[in-house]
Amino acid sequence: MAERLTDRILAENADPFAAMVNHRFVRDIEADRLPAAVFDRYLLIEGAFVETAIAIFGYAVAKATEMGDRRKLIGSLDALANEQMPYFEAAFARRGIAPDPALQADPKVAAFREGMLAIARDGDFGGIVTSMFAAEWMYWTWCSAVASAPMSDPMVRDWIEMHAAPGFAAQAHWLRDRLDALGEAMTPAERDAAVRTFGHVQRLEIDFHEAAYPPAAISAA
């Protein structure tokens, strides 16, 4: 039996994937010690990125050649626009925070935003699915792992539950299965590129999550 592409991807990117799912942001949530200011910064940068994610999924819809893929991706777009965006809108109002252009200009935040958008804009459908698998498999993995931990901030709890929920899990597994199916028709060079893309996304995610910590907190870590 041929090796599943995603098995190879996860094996060859074990180190950056482990670094991300064990990031101090994750460990701080698991230990219920994430500073409110850090979560506020995270909400601002992640909330802004959801708008970019809508564009990424839009590219995926445009580049998909099968109607089944398009239907699935349109459902994902609906969830981003009508489930995740309202979460952030409510969170901003509840926590008294507002968009911060300077924070969005942080090099780590900008690199993630522009790097993910470039994959979708300049790559093919397989590359987009790889990047989405990289992000959503990562979120599902660590959110599922910490979901039973005590969390005193209800909005942190809501965020974790959103990514450990059956619907999100189903999407993460669909992306894995779809990438494996696409991998069967990929050339060796395309499979190699998928491995590199997954690792690239993990490294972008690591820096993106680090940007949630104010510079003073980073230097003191």
Side-chain angles (χ1 to χ4, degrees):
M1 182 177 178
E3 179 186 36
R4 293 174 66 189
L5 176 56
T6 59
D7 285 344
R8 179 187 166 195
I9 284 172
L10 291 168
E12 294 190 21
N13 289 290
D15 288 344
F17 187 74
M20 181 55 244
V21 300
N22 291 288
H23 193 284
R24 67 166 167 163
F25 183 82
V26 177
R27 299 280 73 87
D28 282 350
I29 288 177
E30 184 177 36
D32 198 24
R33 65 179 180 228
L34 186 74
V38 171
F39 193 57
D40 287 349
R41 284 171 63 91
Y42 174 78
L43 288 171
L44 290 171
I45 61 177
E46 181 67 16
F49 180 73
V50 169
E51 295 191 33
T52 302
I54 290 172
I56 290 170
F57 274 80
Y59 277 115
V61 171
K63 294 183 179 185
T65 59
E66 297 184 13
M67 185 55 65
D69 290 336
R70 287 178 172 166
R71 288 192 177 106
K72 179 67 177 179
L73 292 164
I74 289 169
S76 299
L77 275 166
D78 181 70
L80 285 169
N82 296 312
E83 293 178 20
Q84 289 212 19
M85 284 307 299
Y87 167 87
F88 288 106
E89 291 161 359
F92 292 175
R94 184 170 176 177
R95 301 174 81 90
I97 56 178
D100 182 350
L103 181 55
Q104 303 306 325
D106 181 297
K108 292 178 179 178
V109 176
F112 180 71
R113 179 179 63 247
E114 298 305 320
M116 294 293 284
L117 191 57
I119 293 170
R121 183 187 62 239
D122 304 331
D124 60 13
F125 182 66
I128 301 174
V129 172
T130 302
S131 69
M132 292 190 296
F133 168 65
E136 299 200 7
W137 194 260
M138 175 273 292
Y139 265 109
W140 173 74
T141 297
W142 77 258
C143 287
S144 297
V146 307
S148 61
M151 297 173 204
S152 54
D153 187 328
M155 299 214 78
V156 173
R157 164 66 64 193
D158 289 345
W159 181 247
I160 300 306
E161 289 181 347
M162 186 185 304
H163 292 86
F168 190 85
Q171 174 155 303
H173 282 80
W174 177 81
L175 287 167
R176 181 170 189 173
D177 291 343
R178 194 68 190 91
L179 183 53
D180 282 331
L182 292 169
E184 292 177 4
M186 287 181 182
T187 65
E190 289 170 336
R191 291 170 69 90
D192 291 346
V195 173
R196 291 193 298 272
T197 294
F198 186 95
H200 176 55
V201 171
Q202 296 308 316
R203 287 184 284 274
L204 289 173
E205 290 276 16
I206 290 167
D207 287 346
F208 179 82
H209 283 77
E210 199 65 21
Y213 289 82
I218 295 174
S219 62

